[in-house]
């Protein structure tokens, strides 16, 4: 079955960096666009970044442009999100998402940016 497992979250000071990873299984990873979303309490999930199946196309939310970088390794079935210059407003649960015949989400990983 399809599984998405995020890792790499944690507590970091403002200005710091974190690298999130999402390990995918149960589908042909190299054929699908992969997405990172985030959600804070009381708000809808928002798209942070996506990357095309080959990695040739990436897109970012305006709020993270220039600070976050999405990448993928199709040999290892992983998608990553490098987050630099983190701000308190980046605090959220971060989710990996793929759309096949339906939408699949990972369980999420908490990122907290605080001094």
């Amino acid at each position: 079955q399809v599984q998405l497992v995020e890792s790499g979250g944690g507590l970091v000071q403002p200005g710091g960096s974190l690298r999130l990873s999402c390990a995918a299984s149960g589908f042909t990873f190299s054929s699908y666009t992969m997405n990172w979303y985030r959600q804070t309490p009381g708000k809808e999930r928002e798209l942070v970044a996506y990357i095309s199946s080959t990695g040739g196309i990436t897109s970012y939310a305006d709020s993270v442009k220039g600070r976050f970088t999405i990448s993928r390794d199709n040999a290892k079935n992983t998608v990553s999100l490098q987050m630099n210059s983190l701000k308190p407003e980046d605090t959220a649960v971060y989710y990996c998402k793929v759309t096949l015949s339906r939408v699949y989400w990972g369980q999420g990983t908490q990122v907290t940016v605080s001094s």
Side-chain angles (χ1 to χ4, degrees):
Q1 71 278 22
V2 174
Q3 281 195 313
L4 300 171
V5 180
E6 300 97 336
S7 62
L11 173 64
V12 63
Q13 291 188 342
S17 298
L18 278 176
R19 186 177 181 85
L20 306 183
S21 291
C22 172
S25 60
F27 63 101
T28 306
F29 180 79
S30 60
S31 295
Y32 293 91
T33 293
M34 296 298 298
N35 307 267
W36 282 100
Y37 279 71
R38 67 186 180 187
Q39 188 172 28
T40 53
K43 293 189 177 180
E44 292 187 1
R45 283 182 195 183
E46 63 166 343
L47 177 64
V48 174
Y50 69 80
I51 185 167
S52 63
S53 58
T54 62
I57 298 172
T58 58
S59 183
Y60 299 90
D62 287 342
S63 58
V64 307
K65 227 173 256 183
R67 300 187 297 121
F68 290 12
T69 302
I70 189 171
S71 61
R72 67 189 295 157
D73 185 337
N74 284 347
K76 296 183 179 179
N77 288 5
T78 58
V79 57
S80 299
L81 186 68
Q82 177 67 43
M83 306 186 296
N84 298 329
S85 302
L86 282 161
K87 304 175 181 179
E89 50 264 43
D90 294 318
T91 296
V93 179
Y94 284 71
Y95 297 91
C96 184
K97 186 195 106 171
V98 66
T99 301
L100 308 179
S101 56
R102 68 169 181 90
V103 174
Y104 292 87
W105 296 94
Q107 83 287 353
T109 186
Q110 175 71 48
V111 171
T112 302
V113 185
S114 174
S115 54

